[in-house]
PDB file of all heavy atoms in Angstrom:
ATOM      1  N   ARG I  10       8.203  13.589 -14.695  1.00 98.00           N
ATOM      2  CA  ARG I  10       7.210  13.762 -15.773  1.00 98.00           C
ATOM      3  C   ARG I  10       5.770  13.819 -15.263  1.00 98.00           C
ATOM      4  O   ARG I  10       5.056  14.793 -15.560  1.00 98.00           O
ATOM      5  CB  ARG I  10       7.376  12.619 -16.790  1.00 98.00           C
ATOM      6  CG  ARG I  10       6.224  12.524 -17.791  1.00 98.00           C
ATOM      7  CD  ARG I  10       6.499  11.509 -18.869  1.00 98.00           C
ATOM      8  NE  ARG I  10       6.566  10.152 -18.379  1.00 98.00           N
ATOM      9  CZ  ARG I  10       7.066   9.121 -19.068  1.00 98.00           C
ATOM     10  NH1 ARG I  10       7.535   9.303 -20.285  1.00 98.00           N
ATOM     11  NH2 ARG I  10       7.089   7.916 -18.563  1.00 98.00           N
ATOM     12  N   PRO I  11       5.315  12.802 -14.508  1.00 98.00           N
ATOM     13  CA  PRO I  11       3.887  12.860 -14.146  1.00 98.00           C
ATOM     14  C   PRO I  11       3.552  14.038 -13.242  1.00 98.00           C
ATOM     15  O   PRO I  11       2.448  14.594 -13.328  1.00 98.00           O
ATOM     16  CB  PRO I  11       3.647  11.524 -13.425  1.00 98.00           C
ATOM     17  CG  PRO I  11       4.991  11.042 -13.022  1.00 98.00           C
ATOM     18  CD  PRO I  11       5.939  11.562 -14.053  1.00 98.00           C
ATOM     19  N   HIS I 207       7.844   1.068 -15.570  1.00 98.00           N
ATOM     20  CA  HIS I 207       8.980   1.722 -14.926  1.00 98.00           C
ATOM     21  C   HIS I 207       9.110   1.417 -13.440  1.00 98.00           C
ATOM     22  O   HIS I 207      10.165   1.640 -12.860  1.00 98.00           O
ATOM     23  CB  HIS I 207       8.904   3.244 -15.118  1.00 98.00           C
ATOM     24  CG  HIS I 207       7.821   3.906 -14.311  1.00 98.00           C
ATOM     25  ND1 HIS I 207       7.999   4.230 -12.992  1.00 98.00           N
ATOM     26  CD2 HIS I 207       6.577   4.297 -14.624  1.00 98.00           C
ATOM     27  CE1 HIS I 207       6.882   4.805 -12.542  1.00 98.00           C
ATOM     28  NE2 HIS I 207       6.007   4.847 -13.507  1.00 98.00           N
ATOM     29  N   ARG I 208       8.076   0.896 -12.789  1.00 97.00           N
ATOM     30  CA  ARG I 208       8.081   0.821 -11.320  1.00 97.00           C
ATOM     31  C   ARG I 208       9.278   0.066 -10.751  1.00 97.00           C
ATOM     32  O   ARG I 208       9.624  -1.021 -11.229  1.00 97.00           O
ATOM     33  CB  ARG I 208       6.805   0.120 -10.811  1.00 97.00           C
ATOM     34  CG  ARG I 208       5.514   0.842 -11.085  1.00 97.00           C
ATOM     35  CD  ARG I 208       4.767   1.134  -9.815  1.00 97.00           C
ATOM     36  NE  ARG I 208       5.183   2.400  -9.284  1.00 97.00           N
ATOM     37  CZ  ARG I 208       4.726   3.576  -9.736  1.00 97.00           C
ATOM     38  NH1 ARG I 208       3.835   3.644 -10.695  1.00 97.00           N
ATOM     39  NH2 ARG I 208       5.182   4.688  -9.207  1.00 97.00           N
ATOM     40  N   LEU I 265       7.534   9.711 -25.166  1.00 96.00           N
ATOM     41  CA  LEU I 265       6.781  10.648 -26.010  1.00 96.00           C
ATOM     42  C   LEU I 265       6.430  11.877 -25.207  1.00 96.00           C
ATOM     43  O   LEU I 265       6.198  11.770 -23.989  1.00 96.00           O
ATOM     44  CB  LEU I 265       5.497   9.965 -26.477  1.00 96.00           C
ATOM     45  CG  LEU I 265       5.709   8.720 -27.347  1.00 96.00           C
ATOM     46  CD1 LEU I 265       4.408   7.933 -27.490  1.00 96.00           C
ATOM     47  CD2 LEU I 265       6.241   9.124 -28.719  1.00 96.00           C
ATOM     48  N   TYR I 267       3.789  14.666 -23.933  1.00 94.00           N
ATOM     49  CA  TYR I 267       2.455  14.312 -23.433  1.00 94.00           C
ATOM     50  C   TYR I 267       1.406  14.282 -24.547  1.00 94.00           C
ATOM     51  O   TYR I 267       0.582  13.360 -24.622  1.00 94.00           O
ATOM     52  CB  TYR I 267       2.052  15.296 -22.328  1.00 94.00           C
ATOM     53  CG  TYR I 267       0.786  14.908 -21.613  1.00 94.00           C
ATOM     54  CD1 TYR I 267       0.658  13.651 -21.036  1.00 94.00           C
ATOM     55  CD2 TYR I 267      -0.286  15.782 -21.522  1.00 94.00           C
ATOM     56  CE1 TYR I 267      -0.515  13.285 -20.377  1.00 94.00           C
ATOM     57  CE2 TYR I 267      -1.447  15.431 -20.858  1.00 94.00           C
ATOM     58  CZ  TYR I 267      -1.557  14.174 -20.291  1.00 94.00           C
ATOM     59  OH  TYR I 267      -2.708  13.805 -19.640  1.00 94.00           O
ATOM     60  N   PHE I 270       1.853  11.200 -26.537  1.00 95.00           N
ATOM     61  CA  PHE I 270       1.455  10.009 -25.786  1.00 95.00           C
ATOM     62  C   PHE I 270      -0.062   9.849 -25.784  1.00 95.00           C
ATOM     63  O   PHE I 270      -0.582   8.748 -25.963  1.00 95.00           O
ATOM     64  CB  PHE I 270       1.993  10.062 -24.351  1.00 95.00           C
ATOM     65  CG  PHE I 270       1.717   8.778 -23.628  1.00 95.00           C
ATOM     66  CD1 PHE I 270       2.495   7.650 -23.862  1.00 95.00           C
ATOM     67  CD2 PHE I 270       0.655   8.676 -22.753  1.00 95.00           C
ATOM     68  CE1 PHE I 270       2.215   6.443 -23.227  1.00 95.00           C
ATOM     69  CE2 PHE I 270       0.363   7.481 -22.118  1.00 95.00           C
ATOM     70  CZ  PHE I 270       1.152   6.367 -22.350  1.00 95.00           C
ATOM     71  N   SER I 284       2.095   2.075 -14.714  1.00 98.00           N
ATOM     72  CA  SER I 284       2.056   3.511 -14.400  1.00 98.00           C
ATOM     73  C   SER I 284       0.853   3.848 -13.526  1.00 98.00           C
ATOM     74  O   SER I 284      -0.189   3.195 -13.604  1.00 98.00           O
ATOM     75  CB  SER I 284       1.962   4.280 -15.717  1.00 98.00           C
ATOM     76  OG  SER I 284       1.521   5.598 -15.495  1.00 98.00           O
ATOM     77  N   GLY I 285       0.989   4.891 -12.727  1.00 97.00           N
ATOM     78  CA  GLY I 285      -0.147   5.378 -11.958  1.00 97.00           C
ATOM     79  C   GLY I 285      -1.035   6.269 -12.811  1.00 97.00           C
ATOM     80  O   GLY I 285      -2.237   6.036 -12.954  1.00 97.00           O
ATOM     81  N   GLY I 286      -0.425   7.292 -13.430  1.00 97.00           N
ATOM     82  CA  GLY I 286      -1.190   8.287 -14.180  1.00 97.00           C
ATOM     83  C   GLY I 286      -1.991   7.687 -15.323  1.00 97.00           C
ATOM     84  O   GLY I 286      -3.126   8.112 -15.592  1.00 97.00           O
ATOM     85  N   GLU I 290      -5.911   8.086 -16.791  1.00 95.00           N
ATOM     86  CA  GLU I 290      -6.282   8.626 -18.110  1.00 95.00           C
ATOM     87  C   GLU I 290      -7.108   7.638 -18.932  1.00 95.00           C
ATOM     88  O   GLU I 290      -8.034   8.036 -19.649  1.00 95.00           O
ATOM     89  CB  GLU I 290      -4.999   8.975 -18.886  1.00 95.00           C
ATOM     90  CG  GLU I 290      -4.274  10.155 -18.286  1.00 95.00           C
ATOM     91  CD  GLU I 290      -2.786  10.195 -18.623  1.00 95.00           C
ATOM     92  OE1 GLU I 290      -2.230   9.174 -19.087  1.00 95.00           O
ATOM     93  OE2 GLU I 290      -2.179  11.239 -18.413  1.00 95.00           O
TER      94      GLU I 290
HETATM   95  N1  UDP T 402       3.434   9.743 -20.486  1.00 53.06           N
HETATM   96  C1  UDP T 402       4.000  10.559 -21.457  1.00 53.06           C
HETATM   97  N2  UDP T 402       4.885  10.003 -22.354  1.00 53.06           N
HETATM   98  C2  UDP T 402       5.213   8.679 -22.332  1.00 53.06           C
HETATM   99  C3  UDP T 402       4.649   7.865 -21.305  1.00 53.06           C
HETATM  100  C4  UDP T 402       3.769   8.441 -20.393  1.00 53.06           C
HETATM  101  O1  UDP T 402       3.719  11.756 -21.523  1.00 53.06           O
HETATM  102  O2  UDP T 402       6.005   8.239 -23.183  1.00 53.06           O
HETATM  103  C5  UDP T 402       2.515  10.368 -19.506  1.00 53.06           C
HETATM  104  C6  UDP T 402       1.205   9.652 -19.266  1.00 53.06           C
HETATM  105  O3  UDP T 402       0.189  10.139 -20.114  1.00 53.06           O
HETATM  106  C7  UDP T 402       0.897   9.957 -17.794  1.00 53.06           C
HETATM  107  C8  UDP T 402       2.270  10.114 -17.190  1.00 53.06           C
HETATM  108  O4  UDP T 402       3.185  10.328 -18.258  1.00 53.06           O
HETATM  109  O5  UDP T 402       0.221  11.190 -17.634  1.00 53.06           O
HETATM  110  C9  UDP T 402       2.627   8.891 -16.413  1.00 53.06           C
HETATM  111  O6  UDP T 402       3.978   8.910 -16.114  1.00 53.06           O
HETATM  112  P1  UDP T 402       4.740   7.663 -15.528  1.00 53.06           P
HETATM  113  O7  UDP T 402       4.100   6.409 -15.989  1.00 53.06           O
HETATM  114  O8  UDP T 402       6.181   7.878 -15.850  1.00 53.06           O
HETATM  115  O9  UDP T 402       4.577   7.878 -13.961  1.00 53.06           O
HETATM  116  P2  UDP T 402       3.467   7.488 -12.871  1.00 53.06           P
HETATM  117  O10 UDP T 402       2.156   8.024 -13.319  1.00 53.06           O
HETATM  118  O11 UDP T 402       3.494   5.993 -12.744  1.00 53.06           O
HETATM  119  O12 UDP T 402       3.959   8.139 -11.629  1.00 53.06           O
END
Side-chain angles (χ1 to χ4, degrees):
R10 168 173 66 195
H207 72 82
R208 295 238 89 80
L265 298 167
Y267 188 54
F270 186 78
S284 162
E290 291 157 345

